[in-house]
Structure formats: structure tokens, C-alpha cells
């Protein structure tokens, strides 16, 4: 036991020294290590050091456990949504589900601590979200557009495993499918923190489909799973896979979900089609930058006229 603990300490020390050395290099010469530094580069360098130490999918066990829990709750969550007759109220419920699911994020130190102590209740999280108006709140404008328009094709860059993808994004995607929208879910190529990967998402969808290939009664012939080509908790849209670039070429709605993709790296990204940036604010520095609260919500809708 002592030797295992010693090995863990040695690895931690090596990581700290190696990554601290990289940060010092960047202070002296911002162009070193592929600079100048930004959030994407710092994430990439961190992942590089972790892989040098042999860490490829460090949260695999907890991801599998959370996926199994969320799969068992999927039908109940969808039934509760389907029972809401008012279209606008049902949409808001689905959006709140995305925020509640997005809480499961082991990349946030505060949330990782809460998760390790108490776990998280999805339905309770839906009820306990920050009250509206959120720090960026375009939900009413999106509701109005939702009532008047059905998009032909939506590409959703998804975020975390567990409740995030299964109880948050998939019920929303299912509603889009039911409205006649073709939906492409773009997931990471390789593991990063507890983000869902392309192979994991394929497996989850296969488990949720019934014998007729439907997602709780909704046809999935227009649902596609794509490899985004990404291996970080943030995303550089100039470096996505050829597959997702092709699939997104005729999309009329792009959704960037999660703090890393939707807020930290693409909040002000401009698209040639309608776009949504949606995620929970989980870092104090991001909350301060936006002028909001920790665990506040961002729902930014941009319409292309």
C-alpha cells in the first residue's frame, strides 16, 4: 500500500514539475510550445503531459457508472417532458435539463468535490438552477423562434458523459427529431476528463433504442453520431474532423454545449447559420468575466437572418 501511495506521489510531483516548467517557459517566451498561450493551448499541453505519464482515460470507471445510472433514468425524464403539453414550457424544461445534466463535470474542482461527497440528483438539479434571468439569457427569443420554425439540420457539439449527454442533450435532440430536424451529435475522438467520446456515445444510443430502433417512440433514422476529431474539454473549430466539417456544411443550427465548448472557447464565435451556446458557469474566473454568479447559466442564441 505504501509503495502504491509513493508511486502516486511521484507521478503527481512529476506532473507538477513538468507542467510548471512549461508555464514558466511560456512566461519567458510566449511563442514557446506553440504559443502564444490561450485556453486551448494550455489544455492541449496539460493533456500532453498526462499522456506522457500514461494516463489515457483516467475517469473511465466513473463515466461508465454515471452512464449506467443515467440510462436507467432516461425513460422517466422523457416521460415527464412529454407530459408537458405547452410547447414553450416543454422547451424550457428541456433546456433546464441540459443545464442540470451539465453539472456532472469532473473538470470543475468545486463540482468534483460535491460529486465525490454526495453524488448528484438530476431532478433536484433541475429545480435548483440559478433563477432567470441568467447571466446570458436568450431563451425567450429562442422560444419565439422555436414556435415558428423547424430547423432542417442541427449539429450539437456535446460535452460530458452521464446525465449531461443522456438526460440533458438526448431528450432535447429527441424533441428536435420529433419536429423533423436531422440531428448530428458530435463527440470527442479521444477521452478528456469525463467528456463523452464517439465510441461511448454510439454504445449509449444503442442501449437506449428499442427493438424498432426508436428513441422512446421517436424515429432515429435522422440521428447521426459523428467524431468531432477533438481530444480536449474545449474545442478549436478550425481543427475539427473532415467528417464533422462535411456534416455541418449544410446545417442551419449549430449548438455548442458545455462551458469549455460553448463559453470558454466559442461564446463569441460567429456562424453562417443560427447558433446556440449553452452551458453552466463552473469556474469563478469565468463567472467574474461574465459578471454573473458561480453556477449561473448561459443561453446565447444568435439568429442569422
Amino acid at each position: 500500500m505504501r509503495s502504491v501511495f509513493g508511486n502516486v506521489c511521484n507521478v503527481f510531483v512529476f506532473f507538477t514539475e513538468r507542467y510548471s516548467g512549461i508555464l514558466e517557459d511560456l512566461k519567458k517566451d510566449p511563442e514557446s510550445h506553440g504559443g502564444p498561450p490561450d485556453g486551448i493551448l494550455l489544455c492541449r499541453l496539460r493533456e500532453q503531459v498526462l499522456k506522457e505519464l500514461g494516463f489515457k482515460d483516467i475517469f473511465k470507471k466513473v463515466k461508465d457508472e454515471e452512464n449506467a445510472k443515467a440510462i436507467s433514468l432516461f425513460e422517466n425524464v422523457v416521460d415527464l417532458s412529454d407530459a408537458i403539453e405547452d410547447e414553450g414550457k416543454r422547451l424550457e424544461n428541456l433546456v433546464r435539463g441540459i443545464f442540470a445534466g451539465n453539472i456532472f463535470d469532473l473538470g470543475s474542482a468545486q463540482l468534483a468535490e460535491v460529486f465525490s461527497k454526495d453524488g448528484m440528483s438530476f431532478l433536484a438539479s433541475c429545480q435548483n438552477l440559478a433563477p432567470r434571468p441568467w447571466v446570458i439569457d436568450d431563451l425567450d427569443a429562442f422560444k419565439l423562434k422555436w414556435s415558428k420554425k423547424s430547423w432542417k439540420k442541427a449539429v450539437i457539439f456535446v460535452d460530458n458523459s452521464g446525465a449531461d449527454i443522456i438526460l440533458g442533450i438526448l431528450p432535447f435532440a429527441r424533441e428536435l427529431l420529433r419536429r423533423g430536424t436531422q440531428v448530428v451529435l458530435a463527440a470527442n475522438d479521444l477521452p478528456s476528463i469525463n467528456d463523452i467520446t464517439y465510441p461511448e456515445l454510439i454504445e449509449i444510443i444503442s442501449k437506449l433504442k428499442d427493438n424498432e430502433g426508436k428513441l422512446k417512440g421517436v424515429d432515429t433514422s435522422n440521428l447521426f453520431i459523428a467524431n468531432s476529431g477533438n481530444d480536449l474539454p474545449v474545442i478549436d473549430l478550425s481543427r475539427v474532423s473532415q467528417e464533422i466539417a462535411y456534416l455541418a456544411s449544410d446545417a442551419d443550427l449549430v449548438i455548442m454545449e458545455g462551458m469549455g465548448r460553448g463559453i470558454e472557447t466559442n461564446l463569441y464565435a460567429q456562424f453562417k447559420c443560427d447558433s446556440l451556446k449553452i452551458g453552466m458557469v463552473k469556474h469563478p474566473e469565468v463567472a467574474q468575466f461574465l459578471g454573473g454568479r458561480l453556477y449561473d447559466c448561459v443561453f446565447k442564441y444568435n439568429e442569422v437572418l
Side-chain angles (χ1 to χ4, degrees):
M1 185 72 178
R2 207 174 277 175
S3 63
V4 172
F5 180 74
N7 288 337
V8 171
C9 288
N10 289 338
V11 169
F12 178 75
V13 169
F14 180 86
F15 174 84
T16 302
E17 291 178 349
R18 179 85 173 88
Y19 194 61
S20 296
I22 290 172
L23 296 178
E24 288 300 319
D25 290 345
L26 289 167
K27 284 181 184 178
K28 295 172 186 174
D29 177 11
E31 298 295 329
S32 66
H33 301 284
D38 57 19
I40 292 174
L41 177 63
L42 292 174
C43 280
R44 191 172 301 285
L45 292 170
R46 182 192 63 200
E47 294 293 318
Q48 178 182 310
V49 176
L50 287 171
K51 287 171 184 173
E52 286 176 10
L53 291 168
F55 294 113
K56 295 180 180 178
D57 195 356
I58 57 179
F59 292 115
K60 178 62 176 170
K61 184 174 184 294
V62 71
K63 286 195 299 180
D64 288 345
E65 290 172 352
E66 290 307 304
N67 286 339
K69 288 179 190 175
I71 286 172
S72 71
L73 296 171
F74 177 77
E75 286 200 13
N76 183 46
V77 168
V78 168
D79 286 341
L80 289 172
S81 175
D82 288 353
I84 302 173
E85 295 183 7
D86 182 272
E87 192 176 63
K89 290 180 180 178
R90 186 165 65 251
L91 171 62
E92 181 163 350
N93 179 70
L94 289 165
V95 169
R96 287 181 174 275
I98 293 175
F99 286 127
N102 197 232
I103 291 174
F104 176 55
D105 188 345
L106 300 181
S108 163
Q110 291 90 344
L111 288 174
E113 184 177 355
V114 170
F115 176 79
S116 66
K117 287 182 179 177
D118 305 317
M120 293 179 182
S121 164
F122 176 76
L123 294 177
S125 297
C126 287
Q127 299 298 320
N128 295 326
L129 293 175
R132 295 185 64 195
W134 299 315
V135 64
I136 299 178
D137 193 335
D138 295 332
L139 180 56
D140 290 340
F142 186 70
K143 271 187 187 179
L144 184 61
K145 184 56 61 175
W146 181 273
S147 68
K148 297 179 178 179
K149 176 180 180 178
S150 288
W151 292 271
K152 293 179 180 178
K153 187 176 191 179
V155 175
I156 307 176
F157 288 85
V158 299
D159 192 13
N160 303 317
S161 301
D164 192 338
I165 181 66
I166 297 167
L167 304 181
I169 287 297
L170 286 180
F172 181 80
R174 175 180 172 272
E175 190 74 11
L176 284 169
L177 290 170
R178 191 154 65 171
R179 290 163 55 88
T181 303
Q182 187 179 97
V183 177
V184 178
L185 301 177
N188 265 19
D189 177 30
L190 298 173
S192 180
I193 316 179
N194 65 310
D195 290 3
I196 192 74
T197 64
Y198 170 70
E200 290 167 343
L201 185 51
I202 289 176
E203 182 180 353
I204 285 168
I205 297 294
S206 68
K207 288 180 178 179
L208 289 173
K209 286 181 180 179
D210 61 23
N211 292 333
E212 297 178 350
K214 294 183 177 181
L215 200 59
K216 196 66 172 63
V218 174
D219 183 71
T220 57
S221 59
N222 272 331
L223 177 64
F224 300 91
I225 315 302
N227 187 329
S228 69
N230 193 46
D231 60 354
L232 300 174
V234 294
I235 191 166
D236 179 352
L237 292 175
S238 69
R239 300 180 65 172
V240 296
S241 68
Q242 289 185 348
E243 176 189 17
I244 195 62
Y246 172 76
L247 289 171
S249 63
D250 60 344
D252 52 357
L253 177 63
V254 171
I255 301 174
M256 309 300 300
E257 188 247 344
M259 186 173 68
R261 293 164 184 80
I263 302 174
E264 291 178 321
T265 51
N266 291 291
L267 184 61
Y268 303 111
Q270 296 183 352
F271 294 88
K272 293 181 179 179
C273 63
D274 291 358
S275 65
L276 266 180
K277 288 76 173 264
I278 178 168
M280 179 172 282
V281 179
K282 305 166 191 170
H283 292 165
E285 299 83 0
V286 177
Q288 183 179 8
F289 173 80
L290 293 174
R293 306 151 287 184
L294 193 62
Y295 310 133
D296 209 330
C297 300
V298 167
F299 191 94
K300 184 176 175 62
Y301 173 55
N302 290 106
E303 180 183 5
V304 172
L305 300 175

